């Protein structure tokens, strides 16, 4: 049985470790930080089989260009002279066709449904209590025009076997009484779920430590040594000291940082960081929001969480690997909320209470899951963009099946790691 080293302690790295442990593998997980914050913690907690359309879809580029001129808009590409950004944009453009989206939808659906069923199993395991609820998701639409567009998506969803119901104003109001009368309606996806990601991450970390996984925190992988097609050593910095660590099997799960490390591994793994923000408040007494929802026009996600909390999140800033907080984007989230809910004005959060995370965005909106064909002992699991939490258990399961030489539970062809290698 090989010893597996995983780089990256986000939800993808932890879930991969979990399913490898189920196969009796010994695992070392390396994380730059403390496995206590990062993209996998403050996200909206939604498990979304309803999201079968990747980010790179027809109309996204035109919409994105319109949003570029509004400082509070939910989507922004920071213009900069970068070959990587340019080629990522070109591949995004090439992927944003109806043909590619239609081909991607069943693959994303299968991965999502597998993941949701694995969350269901995990929620029954001792030591896990992460407020997993299968209440569905509302796509709230202010205008009739947006509702008609979402109804067309609902039709595609139903054709794919993902239940979607178009709700009139009255039907929506019966389910979520705080909705404003101006909201035209919603599409309801009863099969979606949600959870408290902070609790899930903490419990998964504790489980892994209990199961004997060695977790090296505050440890950064800087480079690699090779012999022929094998990676033999990791060059790491640990507590400020340069060290080497021998490798048997390696999994790269470094989220938005994967393109940089990929380069050191001689991989072409286009990824741009898509920054988003969230803030979490107590639920209001007498004005509790019942359902997870997306304010469709504003692209804001709202998740009632862990009984007493409500999390508001959104924005996608393609602006490089930087951690600055753009208050204008957060203001865009704050302003959108009372446009959908009666008397639900929210104060602008103070900067320390604003969480941000960098989503790992591939140009075609699909994750990279699988083996690197250029190496004998390297696998990759990254690029899950807005769906990393949703897709993490299925990704981990696929990685464990692949490493154990088992048949994959779902098709992985479109997630091929080397799909951008051939053209480079
Ligand atoms: C506002 C917002 C809302 C979201 N809502 C949802 C949602 O509702 N549902 C959903 O499914 N997804 C959601 N997402 C997306 C989801 O959070 C991400 O897709 C997911 O967290 C990515 O996980 P990851 O493990 O790939 O990356 P990360 O969580 O970023 O983990 C990668 C880890 O690798 C470490 N690392 C990087 N380089 C090195 C190195 N050289 N050495 C050692 N360690 C390294 C990093 O420190 C990091 O901890 C949301 C994201 C945002 C920002």
């Amino acid at each position: 049985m090989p010893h597996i080293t995983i780089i990256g302690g986000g939800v993808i790295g932890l879930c991969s470790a979990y399913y490898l442990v189920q196969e009796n593998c010994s695992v070392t997980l390396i994380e730059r930080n403390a496995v206590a914050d990062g993209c996998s913690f403050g996200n909206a907690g939604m498990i979304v089989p309803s999201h079968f359309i990747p980010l790179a879809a027809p109309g996204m580029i035109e919409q994105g260009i319109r949003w570029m001129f509004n400082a509070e808009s939910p989507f922004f590409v920071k213009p900069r002279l970068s070959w990587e950004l340019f080629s990522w944009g070109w591949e995004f453009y090439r992927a944003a066709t109806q043909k590619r989206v239609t081909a991607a939808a069943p693959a994303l659906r299968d991965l999502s449904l597998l993941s949701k069923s694995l969350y269901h199993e995990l929620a029954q395991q001792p030591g896990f209590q992460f407020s997993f609820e299968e209440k569905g998701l509302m796509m709230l639409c202010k205008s009739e025009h947006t509702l008609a567009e979402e109804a067309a998506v609902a039709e595609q969803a139903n054709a794919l076997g993902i239940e979607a119901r178009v709700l009139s104003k009255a039907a929506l109001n019966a389910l979520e009484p705080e909705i404003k009368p101006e909201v035209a309606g919603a599409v309801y996806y009863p099969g979606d779920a949600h959870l408290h990601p902070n609790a899930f991450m903490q419990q998964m970390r504790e489980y892994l430590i209990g199961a004997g996984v060695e977790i090296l925190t505050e440890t950064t992988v800087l480079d690699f040594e090779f012999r022929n097609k094998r990676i033999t050593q990791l060059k790491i910095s640990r507590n400020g000291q340069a060290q080497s660590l021998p490798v048997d099997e390696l999994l790269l799960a470094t989220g938005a940082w994967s393109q940089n490390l990929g380069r050191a591994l001689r991989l072409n793994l286009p990824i741009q960081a898509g920054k988003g923000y969230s803030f979490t408040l107590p639920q209001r007494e007498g004005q509790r929001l019942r359902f997870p929802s997306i304010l469709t026009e504003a692209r804001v996600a709202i998740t009632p969480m862990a009984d007493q909390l409500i999390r508001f999140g959104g924005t996608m800033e393609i602006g490089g690997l930087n951690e600055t907080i753009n208050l204008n984007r957060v203001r865009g989230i704050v302003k959108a909320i009372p446009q959908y809910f009666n008397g639900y004005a929210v104060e602008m959060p103070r900067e320390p209470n604003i969480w941000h995370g960098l989503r790992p965005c591939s140009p075609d909106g699909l994750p990279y899951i699988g083996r690197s064909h250029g190496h004998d002992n390297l696998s990759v699991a990254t690029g899950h963009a807005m769906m990393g939490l949703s897709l993490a258990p299925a990704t981990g399961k696929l990685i464990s099946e692949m490493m154990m030489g088992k048949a994959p539970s779902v098709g992985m062809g479109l997630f091929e790691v080397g799909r951008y290698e051939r053209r480079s």
Side-chain angles (χ1 to χ4, degrees), residues 6-14 30-35 37-48 119 197 201 216 219-224 236 252-258 261 274-278 301 303 305 311-315 333 355-360 381-392:
I6 299 175
I7 315 174
V11 69
I12 300 296
L14 295 194
I30 302 178
E31 167 57 49
R32 237 168 23 141
N33 297 321
V35 193
D37 194 15
C39 197
S40 300
F41 286 81
N43 61 63
M46 294 176 175
I47 310 303
V48 281
Y119 269 123
M201 290 294 289
L216 304 178
T219 305
T220 305
V221 175
L222 302 171
D223 209 347
F224 306 87
I236 60 172
L252 186 73
T254 42
W257 295 267
S258 303
L261 272 190
K275 196 192 295 165
Y277 304 98
S278 78
T303 316
M305 223 172 242
R311 181 168 288 171
F312 302 92
T315 84
I333 299 176
W355 172 88
H356 71 279
L358 298 175
R359 304 175 185 89
T382 189
H384 297 72
M386 310 117 77
M387 294 184 281
L389 181 78
S390 270
L391 302 177

Side-chain angles (χ1 to χ4, degrees), residues 44-47 119-120 122-124 127-135 193-201 203 292 303-309 389:
M46 294 176 175
I47 310 303
Y119 269 123
H120 196 92
L122 280 164
Q124 321 292 318
F128 286 101
Q129 205 173 36
F130 45 87
S131 305
F132 180 65
E133 288 186 69
E134 296 177 90
K135 269 183 140 175
H194 67 283
L195 55 81
H196 188 206
N198 310 64
F200 178 72
M201 290 294 289
Q203 290 159 15
T303 316
M305 223 172 242
D307 204 26
Q308 296 302 328
L309 302 174
L389 181 78

Side-chain angles (χ1 to χ4, degrees), residues 22 30 67 91 107 120 144 191 295 322 333 343 348 352 358 365 397:
Q22 307 312 306
I30 302 178
W67 272 330
E91 292 296 350
H120 196 92
E144 292 292 347
L295 314 182
N322 80 73
I333 299 176
M348 180 71 185
L358 298 175
K397 178 102 179 143

Side-chain angles (χ1 to χ4, degrees), residues 49 51-52 104-115 157 159-162:
H51 284 38
F52 56 87
L108 278 177
R109 172 202 57 195
D110 293 349
L111 194 62
S112 252
L113 291 176
L114 171 64
S115 228
L160 280 168
I162 295 167

